[in-house]
Amino acid sequence: MTSTLPRTVDPACLQEVLDGRWAHVRRDAREQLGGPEHAPVYGESMQEARERITRLAGELAATGRVGLGFPKEYGGEADAGGSVTSIEMLAYGDLSLMVKAGVQWGLFGGAVQLLGTKRHHDAYLPDIMSFALPGCFAMTETGHGSDVQQLRTTCTYDPATQTFDLHTPHQAARKDYIGNAAKDGRMAVVFAQLVTRGRKQGVHAWLVPIRDEDGNPMPGVTIGDDGPKAGLLGVDNGRLSFDHVRVPREMLLDRYGQVAEDGTYTSSIENETRRFFTMLGTLVRGRVSVGGSAGSATKTALDIAVRYGEVRRQFAAPGRDREIVLNDYLVHQRKLLPALATSYALSFAQEELVSTMHDVQTAVHEHGEEVDEAAQRELESRAAGLKAANTWHATRTIQTCREACGGAGYLAENRLPQLKADTDVFTTFEGDNTVLLQLVAKGLLTGYRDAFGSLDGWGRVAFVADMVRETVLERTAARGLIARLVDAVPGREDDLPLRDRGWQLEMFEFREKHTLEGAIRRLRRNAATGSSPTHPMEPFQVFNSVQDHVLRTAEAHVDRVVLEAFVAGIERAPDPGARALLGTLCDLYALSTIEADKGWFLEHGRLTAARSKALTGTVNALLGELRPHMVTLVDGFAIPEEWKAAAILEEEAGRQEAMHLADTAAEDARLTAEAGSAAPDDTATSVDVPPGQ
């Protein structure tokens, strides 16, 4: 198939679409923070890395760029979306700095801002923003990470002293893996079970000093160092334990729950589970940031691998003296181009997510509107799903890029090993990906029923029996356009081009709806069996026996959301050439996703054997069309050269240029020699006589 793409596309047009709503934040980061000081440094000790990252965090605070998400009255810009975007941009450079900044101004500062009230803001936000008060976000416990609702740390109110007693009852309840705890943190937002008047009121958060001005642990606070890690060398992760630490009543971050002097507890949200999820929902910014940062790291890896593949040569074709460029091999294109297509798709989905988060949080915190619970929970579900998709894509793709660069990709100086090590934890922090997909699936299955806010609600037979009966797919982006495309798909589709966008969208929708309906049927069947006296099934087993099906439903849902975002993103491209290139890339994303799961589509009658074979041929054809644009596609990421910090890019380009010049010189010499031997010469015969004759 002949490509209809233009021969060249301006990468700036791709960058314009990718940069999106917060293009000004991205532009500022490239211009002002794109220097070599923000690139990773190789070969440091843990102590050296920590000292350097702490210094850089202080310098970053001095620029004023960390205040994007904070209220205007404290010198911020009240721009939640801009805040997340700035973190994404830091992730193109040293990921330790990104995490350090995320802990200080995203998690710690964000918790004070969103869970606290004006007295907390007045007292602490200025010093948090200036980095004069380094802080920690102490939620995760050694024994409880994902299941935050079951934290074991307690904070019990004593009316006699008007203080809380903060206590770690056993080692499994210590706060663990806490960024800023091992070295820098002076205060922590600590999450614990609030107990007052003998009754638990659920998980709340307190501001707790953990070090004095000299850096010594406060009385009753034990601080440990998590020590060397696989990556993120510059982040000082540590452990915190509390031995009956007295915390003043006013240090409770009490936006959603208040304790009076006499111990009376009040809250505007009466239901404990609903209150808990409302509190956590305000902190969704951290999860959104992790997904976006994983996307930035993946783009960096792809940039390095694609550029290396454009200059590295290996093996010569028969009859040719010059070796072949790696990117010309189909198998190499198979490695990198589908990953590139997925990165573009996830970028558009991330942009839509950040925009939604910004609008939801601005409505509540800036305009004083009531929380739209449906919108909030949809936001949380989308953030969970895209965080999982982005971080798993990072883990797979960075490894692929490492392999695509051969032995050079294993050298620290070429960035890829550090990207692998630094991003590996992303799949389990800010929520374990498997648990997050259960959150997505729960939303699909229950329609966010308030009665089942905790995962232990999955196993209740009554819950399963009362599950929703109708499965309606809520389209997420460019709803009108997508509806028109899907509705235009004819009933008989065997002859429909595989590159028909409506058919691609309809295939993604069919898979999601079918898996969702199948999960519901299995859950109902198990519930009915469990309720039978003769065939009892443990309530937990009702859900556990179909957990694989439920997670597959969530994955299918995320894939569909991402494709819709890609389609919407193409519509925003003003340049026809960029729009055509993005359209072809979208075809590759959609068809390579279907190809990867074509066994399922064959089993369910949506692909014939012949069409399945044609699918692979079409994907290969798309790779050929996109091959000339591989560098253009990574140019669209607009990653500052100094942030890449990969020696491979300069050295290999130089070596290949030298080889090219040598080859050219040798070829010129050969042609000259041939021309000379063919010149007229009175002393030579016109016939070559073989030796010995």
Side-chain angles (χ1 to χ4, degrees), residues 222 231 248 250 284 327 359 406 439 490 530 553 608:
T222 299
E250 59 270 17
V284 72
N327 283 348
D359 293 341
L439 174 64
T553 298
T608 62

Side-chain angles (χ1 to χ4, degrees), residues 303-337:
D303 186 294
I304 293 168
V306 166
R307 294 185 194 282
Y308 180 71
E310 198 69 15
V311 295
R312 181 72 162 92
R313 293 176 178 270
Q314 194 76 274
F315 303 108
R320 290 173 57 181
D321 294 332
R322 197 97 195 273
E323 292 177 316
I324 298 168
V325 171
L326 288 182
N327 283 348
D328 284 344
Y329 286 101
L330 175 64
V331 68
H332 208 73
Q333 296 163 17
R334 277 270 180 179
K335 289 179 180 180
L336 298 180
L337 274 168

